[in-house]
Amino acid sequence: MITAAGRTIRVGLLVLAVIALPAFTVAGFSRGPAGLAAVALGLVLVASFFTVSKVAVSVVARRMRAMVLPTALGTYLIKIVILGALLVTLEGSSAIDLAAFAWAVLTGVLGWLGAELWVATHTRVPFYDPEVFRARDDSRRDTLNT
């Protein structure tokens, strides 16, 4: 069973907001306006990538469970292509400080993964599918009654 995406997204966005405060302060003082733009772009990129992936996999999981893995891998491939294209585009740009961008993406990803881990460990999810368990139990009773 897949944990509801809403709670994970909310906690992830909250963690990114907490990360943004010191990140903007450090980037602003050490890298100037290019650092601020880099942190903003990096954290928005992390938030959008994880949110879109979580929503896509959740929607597919509710409708076609067999397509969860292809959906997860497909969203991952799309994210890698977009990130690669973005990095190629930003190479040599003076508007974005690439070091600040890299640190913002790294801390954002680690923060989001921590949020996902926290939600996963604090959400009560059965280790079995109750419907399958009931069906097995019912068939066992039928066998014993005959």
Side-chain angles (χ1 to χ4, degrees):
M1 183 177 287
I2 294 180
T3 306
R7 185 172 181 204
T8 303
I9 292 169
R10 283 190 302 275
V11 174
L13 292 174
L14 177 66
V15 168
L16 289 182
V18 170
I19 289 170
L21 295 173
F24 277 124
T25 304
V26 169
F29 283 120
S30 65
R31 302 293 188 167
L36 291 173
V39 168
L41 179 63
L43 294 179
V44 166
L45 190 70
V46 169
S48 61
F49 276 10
F50 277 104
T51 300
V52 167
S53 294
K54 198 69 167 169
V55 169
V57 170
S58 285
V59 167
V60 170
R62 287 189 186 115
R63 296 186 179 153
M64 302 173 282
R65 286 196 176 219
M67 295 302 293
V68 170
L69 182 61
T71 302
L73 293 174
T75 57
Y76 179 74
L77 176 66
I78 291 168
K79 290 188 293 187
I80 293 300
V81 168
I82 291 171
L83 182 60
L86 183 64
L87 289 175
V88 168
T89 304
L90 292 176
E91 184 180 9
S93 172
S94 61
I96 299 289
D97 183 64
L98 290 181
F101 177 74
W103 280 108
V105 169
L106 178 65
T107 56
V109 166
L110 292 176
W112 192 286
L113 291 177
E116 286 211 26
L117 181 63
W118 188 89
V119 170
T121 57
H122 288 80
T123 302
R124 295 184 61 146
V125 178
F127 290 104
Y128 60 90
D129 187 354
E131 296 300 319
V132 172
F133 185 73
R134 280 190 212 111
R136 286 183 187 165
D137 197 36
D138 291 343
S139 68
R140 189 176 293 155
R141 282 190 196 130
D142 291 342
T143 306
L144 292 175
N145 290 335
T146 53

